[in-house]
Every structure is written in C-alpha cells, then in structure tokens.
Amino acid sequence: MRTDLYVTGTDTDVGKTYVTVQLLRELAAAQRVVGMKPVASGSERIDGVLRNADALQLMQASNVDADYATVNPYAFAPAIAPEYAARDAGVEIEVSVIRQAFDTLTQRSDLVLVEGAGGWLSPVTETIDQADVARALGIRDVLLVVGMGLGCVHRARATARAIEADGFRLKGWIANEAGGYDPDLNNNLQAIERNLGAAAYRYFRYEPI
C-alpha cells in the first residue's frame, strides 16, 4: 500500500523544499522516490520556458526519471501567491491536470513527496485549497515543516489542528530554523513535542530558501 506524503509548512519560506530534498536523498537509497511541486511561483525562463528552482531541486534529488512538466505542472514567473500569479497569467489551475501528472509519477515510483505552496491554509486558487489538492491525489498523510522562531508554537499547533480538521493525518513534523537563530529553541521544541508528539526528523538551517 502506498504511503505518499504531502509536505506542507507553518508558513512560506520555512524550508519545505530543503526538507523534502533531504528526505528524497535519504529514501532514494532503498526505493524509487520522486518529488512533485504541483504549483510554483517565482520561476525563471530557461531556454524560453519557465522553470522553478524548488522543482528543479526536487528533480535532482529524485531517483525517478520524469520530465519537468510532470514534476511541476504549473509554474509562474512572479514570486507571489499562486492564486494571483495564475490570475495575472490568465491560467486556470485545474486539479485534474495535477492529478494526471501525479498518476504518471506513481506509476514510476514507490513513493511521491508532494510539496505544497506556502502553508496548509494558503489558497491555491479562489476555490481550491491545499487540502483539495491532497484529497484529489488520494494522499492522507501530511508532513509538517515548522519554521522555528518567535510564534512557532502557535503556528505549529494551529496548522496541525487545521490539517486534522480537514480530515488528514499529521504523519509527523520537522523543525527547521529557516528564518534565523531561535533563541528559545529547546523550549519551543519541547512545547511542540508536547502538543504534536515527537518530531519525525530534525533538520536545522539558518538561512531561508
């Protein structure tokens, strides 16, 4: 039975890509794994085609061959919320397109790590949420990346409750110092562990993605 994961965060720029890449590299030693970034903003044109740096990192860390459009079906140039980037580009984001790409990846792999855009409650469009995407892909388990720092306990608890309220299972969480040094790191870790359970992994980094 597949155990594909949806990777989300307590906010944007908390290190979701960094964490997903580390997991892909670790898991690739024992199985066929591939990363997916369904929707990405902040892309650059390479040879006339939009490419997102996060999606490219996922491709490099995967051990499954897949073309760019399958890994990242929707790429937008401006580094703004996908909802607005798509609107400004005149593009309608369709869950069916994301599902088709995901199905292609599942046929070639044992595990797909799907990285969401922003935090769990960040809209994908006016009518599509992260939960709608994960649900359409048939993914039940969600991995939460917690950006450590002032206010992280509240954000971690609030996001975990939102994930579970949407009918998903919080598979685990990963602490990441993406925004800078956390002067109260140990206390914050203990508080989150007390509420969310022991961390699945702990990767720490001091500079944002």
Side-chain angles (χ1 to χ4, degrees):
M1 185 175 181
R2 297 188 64 94
T3 57
D4 301 305
L5 284 174
Y6 196 91
V7 182
T8 191
T10 49
D11 207 333
T12 190
D13 289 332
V14 295
K16 293 189 304 297
T17 300
Y18 172 77
V19 166
T20 305
V21 165
Q22 304 310 311
L23 291 176
L24 285 169
R25 289 173 176 169
E26 178 179 320
L27 296 169
Q31 56 189 312
R32 299 174 302 163
V33 294
V34 60
M36 181 183 187
K37 182 83 172 177
V39 182
S41 299
S43 306
E44 297 183 0
R45 289 198 177 276
I46 301 176
D47 296 328
V49 182
L50 285 173
R51 294 286 185 265
N52 177 264
D54 291 350
L56 292 173
Q57 288 186 58
L58 297 181
M59 292 180 70
Q60 292 173 357
S62 303
N63 63 358
V64 170
D65 289 331
D67 58 39
Y68 183 87
T70 303
V71 171
N72 177 211
Y74 292 101
F76 302 103
I80 59 177
E83 174 184 353
Y84 309 132
R87 180 196 63 191
D88 294 346
V91 173
E92 181 179 355
I93 297 176
E94 299 181 16
V95 173
S96 60
V97 172
I98 297 173
R99 177 62 198 241
Q100 183 176 9
F102 176 77
D103 287 345
T104 298
L105 295 177
T106 61
Q107 292 168 10
R108 304 176 184 177
S109 67
D110 302 309
L111 175 67
V112 181
L113 299 184
V114 180
E115 181 190 337
W120 179 254
L121 294 179
S122 299
V124 179
T125 72
E126 290 185 2
T127 59
I128 301 172
D129 283 334
Q130 306 284 329
D132 297 318
V133 175
R135 193 173 292 113
L137 301 184
I139 297 178
R140 181 190 175 197
D141 295 334
V142 178
L143 184 64
L144 175 61
V145 179
V146 179
M148 301 304 293
L150 185 64
C152 65
V153 176
H154 163 73
R155 289 189 290 272
R157 295 184 69 191
T159 305
R161 289 186 182 183
I163 290 169
E164 293 171 347
D166 283 333
F168 294 85
R169 180 172 60 184
L170 182 63
K171 185 69 173 180
W173 62 280
I174 297 176
N176 188 39
E177 286 188 288
Y181 176 69
D182 183 352
D184 205 19
L185 176 63
N186 288 333
N187 283 332
N188 286 334
L189 284 172
Q190 291 175 13
I192 297 173
E193 286 183 349
R194 186 171 65 247
N195 288 278
L196 272 61
Y201 299 86
R202 288 184 189 169
Y203 294 112
F204 297 102
R205 203 165 62 95
Y206 288 91
E207 68 279 1
I209 287 291

